[in-house]
Amino acid sequence: MFGTQVALILADNMKSQVDTITGKRILIVEDERVVREGLRVLLTADAHTVVEANNGAEAMALFHQGRFDLVITDYEIPFIKGNELAAKIKQVPPHQPILMITAYQHRPGTDNPVDVVVIKPFVTAALRGIIARLLSQPGERSTPPTKAKVNLLS
């Protein structure tokens, strides 16, 4: 029931006006089912194909099976941390967009090679804007995107 309530709140928040990119393939790596479901609802509302993993090992297996336009990961996930997952993914395609959503204060950098860190809790419309920005980048960028840590409560 709680997951349904979160999904409904996210669906209401999605009505905010944000430029969106649609129809992309996105991997969500999140061990908390409620958060994973909420992100799935948000992304499928924008016509994205969503593939879900509940741990880092499962995410790596899924990543090697198919191409993704964006990877969204939590930091604190079973088997390998989100920053370790990002480092392994970036070894395959170095410019793979990766968004980290976490309750911890982690910044992008050499030990955390994600493109953006969003701190939980966050405002859904702002998250959608960041996702749209990451998805609007060409897949094979000549330069990596600007790294940022974002608190989306304001």
Side-chain angles (χ1 to χ4, degrees):
M1 180 67 175
F2 181 69
T4 304
Q5 291 172 338
V6 170
L8 292 174
I9 291 168
L10 280 172
D12 286 342
N13 286 340
M14 289 186 295
K15 294 176 184 168
S16 301
Q17 292 182 350
V18 174
D19 290 334
T20 58
I21 306 288
T22 61
K24 300 294 185 173
R25 186 168 155 83
I26 300 174
L27 175 61
I28 298 173
V29 188
E30 172 62 65
D31 60 322
E32 293 182 42
R33 183 182 54 82
V34 171
V35 176
R36 200 171 57 244
E37 287 176 0
L39 287 169
R40 179 178 28 85
V41 168
L42 172 73
L43 296 167
T44 56
D46 289 335
H48 297 300
T49 299
V50 175
V51 177
E52 300 175 38
N54 66 9
N55 63 63
E58 182 182 4
M60 280 308 299
L62 289 168
F63 188 81
H64 286 298
Q65 291 173 11
R67 188 183 82 66
F68 292 93
D69 297 296
L70 177 64
V71 175
I72 299 175
T73 185
D74 189 8
Y75 176 81
E76 200 62 51
I77 53 176
F79 301 115
I80 62 173
K81 301 283 188 232
N83 63 326
E84 297 167 16
L85 174 65
K88 288 180 183 218
I89 287 173
K90 294 271 188 175
Q91 289 175 354
V92 181
H95 300 297
Q96 170 67 51
I98 301 176
L99 167 65
M100 180 176 282
I101 299 176
T102 182
Y104 300 94
Q105 298 292 324
H106 296 285
R107 294 196 162 123
T110 56
D111 64 331
N112 191 19
V114 299
D115 299 294
V116 178
V117 174
V118 172
I119 305 300
K120 295 177 190 173
F122 51 83
V123 174
T124 305
L127 177 63
R128 288 178 79 217
I130 289 171
I131 290 169
R133 181 178 59 84
L134 288 170
L135 290 173
S136 68
Q137 309 276 337
E140 292 296 319
R141 291 185 284 257
S142 58
T143 58
T146 303
K147 307 277 185 185
K149 174 184 156 193
V150 182
N151 185 339
L152 298 179
L153 282 178
S154 48

